[in-house]
mmCIF file of all heavy atoms in Angstrom:
data_model
loop_
_atom_site.group_PDB
_atom_site.id
_atom_site.type_symbol
_atom_site.label_atom_id
_atom_site.label_comp_id
_atom_site.label_asym_id
_atom_site.label_seq_id
_atom_site.Cartn_x
_atom_site.Cartn_y
_atom_site.Cartn_z
ATOM 1 N N GLY N 46 126.299 106.561 95.049
ATOM 2 C CA GLY N 46 127.016 107.141 93.922
ATOM 3 C C GLY N 46 128.248 106.376 93.490
ATOM 4 O O GLY N 46 128.748 106.573 92.366
ATOM 5 N N LYS N 47 128.784 105.497 94.337
ATOM 6 C CA LYS N 47 129.935 104.685 93.957
ATOM 7 C C LYS N 47 129.451 103.430 93.237
ATOM 8 O O LYS N 47 128.426 102.848 93.610
ATOM 9 C CB LYS N 47 130.748 104.271 95.182
ATOM 10 C CG LYS N 47 131.461 105.415 95.886
ATOM 11 C CD LYS N 47 132.314 104.877 97.033
ATOM 12 C CE LYS N 47 133.098 105.993 97.696
ATOM 13 N NZ LYS N 47 133.979 105.470 98.798
ATOM 14 N N VAL N 48 130.187 102.997 92.227
ATOM 15 C CA VAL N 48 129.844 101.779 91.506
ATOM 16 C C VAL N 48 130.822 100.681 91.916
ATOM 17 O O VAL N 48 132.044 100.872 91.828
ATOM 18 C CB VAL N 48 129.905 101.992 89.980
ATOM 19 C CG1 VAL N 48 129.571 100.700 89.246
ATOM 20 C CG2 VAL N 48 128.943 103.105 89.563
ATOM 21 N N VAL N 49 130.286 99.568 92.389
ATOM 22 C CA VAL N 49 131.139 98.477 92.874
ATOM 23 C C VAL N 49 130.836 97.192 92.110
ATOM 24 O O VAL N 49 129.699 96.950 91.704
ATOM 25 C CB VAL N 49 130.943 98.243 94.397
ATOM 26 C CG1 VAL N 49 131.450 99.434 95.184
ATOM 27 C CG2 VAL N 49 129.481 97.970 94.725
ATOM 28 N N ASP N 50 131.867 96.387 91.930
ATOM 29 C CA ASP N 50 131.753 95.088 91.252
ATOM 30 C C ASP N 50 131.559 94.020 92.329
ATOM 31 O O ASP N 50 132.437 93.776 93.148
ATOM 32 C CB ASP N 50 133.029 94.812 90.454
ATOM 33 C CG ASP N 50 132.923 93.552 89.597
ATOM 34 O OD1 ASP N 50 132.083 92.689 89.905
ATOM 35 O OD2 ASP N 50 133.696 93.437 88.629
ATOM 36 N N ILE N 51 130.386 93.369 92.327
ATOM 37 C CA ILE N 51 130.050 92.415 93.385
ATOM 38 C C ILE N 51 130.021 90.967 92.900
ATOM 39 O O ILE N 51 129.715 90.057 93.665
ATOM 40 C CB ILE N 51 128.681 92.749 94.010
ATOM 41 C CG1 ILE N 51 127.582 92.788 92.940
ATOM 42 C CG2 ILE N 51 128.747 94.069 94.771
ATOM 43 C CD1 ILE N 51 126.179 93.021 93.478
ATOM 44 N N ALA N 52 130.340 90.729 91.637
ATOM 45 C CA ALA N 52 130.229 89.379 91.074
ATOM 46 C C ALA N 52 131.130 88.382 91.796
ATOM 47 O O ALA N 52 130.669 87.349 92.294
ATOM 48 C CB ALA N 52 130.554 89.412 89.585
ATOM 49 N N GLU N 53 132.416 88.681 91.866
ATOM 50 C CA GLU N 53 133.355 87.770 92.506
ATOM 51 C C GLU N 53 133.170 87.764 94.017
ATOM 52 O O GLU N 53 133.269 86.725 94.676
ATOM 53 C CB GLU N 53 134.790 88.170 92.154
ATOM 54 C CG GLU N 53 135.855 87.167 92.587
ATOM 55 C CD GLU N 53 135.717 85.829 91.881
ATOM 56 O OE1 GLU N 53 135.229 85.800 90.731
ATOM 57 O OE2 GLU N 53 136.096 84.792 92.493
ATOM 58 N N PHE N 54 132.868 88.934 94.566
ATOM 59 C CA PHE N 54 132.697 89.049 96.019
ATOM 60 C C PHE N 54 131.508 88.234 96.513
ATOM 61 O O PHE N 54 131.478 87.788 97.665
ATOM 62 C CB PHE N 54 132.521 90.524 96.405
ATOM 63 C CG PHE N 54 132.278 90.745 97.869
ATOM 64 C CD1 PHE N 54 133.268 90.460 98.810
ATOM 65 C CD2 PHE N 54 131.051 91.230 98.327
ATOM 66 C CE1 PHE N 54 133.046 90.659 100.165
ATOM 67 C CE2 PHE N 54 130.827 91.431 99.669
ATOM 68 C CZ PHE N 54 131.826 91.150 100.596
ATOM 69 N N SER N 55 130.518 87.998 95.663
ATOM 70 C CA SER N 55 129.324 87.251 96.082
ATOM 71 C C SER N 55 129.687 85.832 96.543
ATOM 72 O O SER N 55 128.954 85.229 97.327
ATOM 73 C CB SER N 55 128.321 87.176 94.931
ATOM 74 O OG SER N 55 128.821 86.399 93.852
ATOM 75 N N LYS N 56 130.821 85.307 96.072
ATOM 76 C CA LYS N 56 131.219 83.951 96.444
ATOM 77 C C LYS N 56 131.687 83.871 97.894
ATOM 78 O O LYS N 56 131.702 82.782 98.489
ATOM 79 C CB LYS N 56 132.329 83.463 95.510
ATOM 80 C CG LYS N 56 131.896 83.383 94.047
ATOM 81 C CD LYS N 56 133.060 83.000 93.152
ATOM 82 C CE LYS N 56 132.633 83.001 91.682
ATOM 83 N NZ LYS N 56 133.774 82.691 90.778
ATOM 84 N N ARG N 57 132.085 85.017 98.476
ATOM 85 C CA ARG N 57 132.524 85.015 99.871
ATOM 86 C C ARG N 57 131.719 85.985 100.729
ATOM 87 O O ARG N 57 132.057 86.226 101.886
ATOM 88 C CB ARG N 57 134.017 85.365 99.943
ATOM 89 C CG ARG N 57 134.397 86.703 99.354
ATOM 90 C CD ARG N 57 135.920 86.908 99.416
ATOM 91 N NE ARG N 57 136.308 88.261 99.037
ATOM 92 C CZ ARG N 57 136.473 88.689 97.789
ATOM 93 N NH1 ARG N 57 136.263 87.847 96.785
ATOM 94 N NH2 ARG N 57 136.839 89.928 97.531
ATOM 95 N N HIS N 58 130.682 86.531 100.151
ATOM 96 C CA HIS N 58 129.809 87.449 100.884
ATOM 97 C C HIS N 58 129.150 86.717 102.048
ATOM 98 O O HIS N 58 128.581 85.636 101.856
ATOM 99 C CB HIS N 58 128.736 88.005 99.934
ATOM 100 C CG HIS N 58 127.766 88.927 100.578
ATOM 101 N ND1 HIS N 58 126.410 88.682 100.607
ATOM 102 C CD2 HIS N 58 127.942 90.100 101.235
ATOM 103 C CE1 HIS N 58 125.800 89.664 101.231
ATOM 104 N NE2 HIS N 58 126.698 90.534 101.631
#
Side-chain angles (χ1 to χ4, degrees):
K47 292 184 177 182
V48 179
V49 293
D50 186 338
I51 56 176
E53 189 64 29
F54 177 66
S55 66
K56 298 176 183 177
R57 59 183 188 277
H58 179 240

